[in-house]
Amino acid sequence: DAGVIQSPRHEVTEMGQEVTLRCKPISGHDYLFWYRQTMMRGLELLIYFNNNVPIDDSGMPEDRFSAKMPNASFSTLKIQPSEPRDSAVYFCASSLKGGVVTDTQYFGPGTRLTVL
Amino acid sequence: GDSVTQMEGPVTLSEEAFLTINCTYTATGYPSLFWYVQYPGEGLQLLLKATKADDKGSNKGFEATYRKETTSFHLEKGSVQVSDSAVYFCALGVSNFGNEKLTFGTGTRLTIIP
């Protein structure tokens, strides 16, 4: 099993540019999660999907952030326009049925984003 | 709201030392508790979990006991190895009308020196 795949692994961009992060969940997993990790705030849940439908996006910091899941094997997190404070490591995770008690989230290796 | 407080890092120990990383939580419901580990350059991996009070989770020599009376879930290992160097995250999860979310602590960086 290839695990959760994220691309790119590193992204450096300039303030104001659009950034798109990509995620391929583990095949057969119904849930997909996007997290952001920073030194100041730790690991925060941004949004999660169930069967390609967004369930909870209350963690999305502002309208500059958007996430889509057009099919079961692909999701994107887009930041437009990007700002230096968006610099962080962004993780994607997937789980089979989503239950925090009964299930396990599998994390990708993350995308380290630097906005200059 | 739900929250997790972890021992501040970094923590540096010698090989074969005893490890404790403290974790306490606040939750409105009946949470399950988790420890995740993040090795350098990798994503988080589930290390162990406990789903109800007095349960003990264990894996790879690590243990943690769900203590409802002290709202704690401290991670312990009797004899650490260099390969245990990583960042450790305590987390809680509460099932809430189909809304399944994990709340993480800020992480504790552990370095084991030979």
Side-chain angles (χ1 to χ4, degrees), chain B residues 49-95:
Chain B
K49 71 178 185 182
T51 58
K52 61 183 186 297
D54 299 326
D55 269 3
K56 177 186 284 188
S58 61
N59 187 24
K60 298 181 180 180
F62 291 89
E63 294 183 338
T65 301
Y66 188 163
R67 302 285 188 199
K68 187 177 179 183
E69 63 276 13
T70 55
T71 61
S72 66
F73 193 55
H74 304 323
L75 182 68
E76 296 181 338
K77 187 175 184 181
S79 177
V80 293
Q81 305 301 314
V82 172
S83 57
D84 294 327
S85 298
V87 181
Y88 292 81
F89 293 87
C90 186
L92 69 83
V94 180
S95 295

Side-chain angles (χ1 to χ4, degrees), chain A residues 45-61:
Chain A
L45 177 66
L46 300 177
I47 184 172
Y48 78 92
F49 295 82
N50 177 17
N51 289 319
N52 314 337
V53 177
I55 301 301
D56 185 345
D57 64 355
S58 60
M60 296 287 263

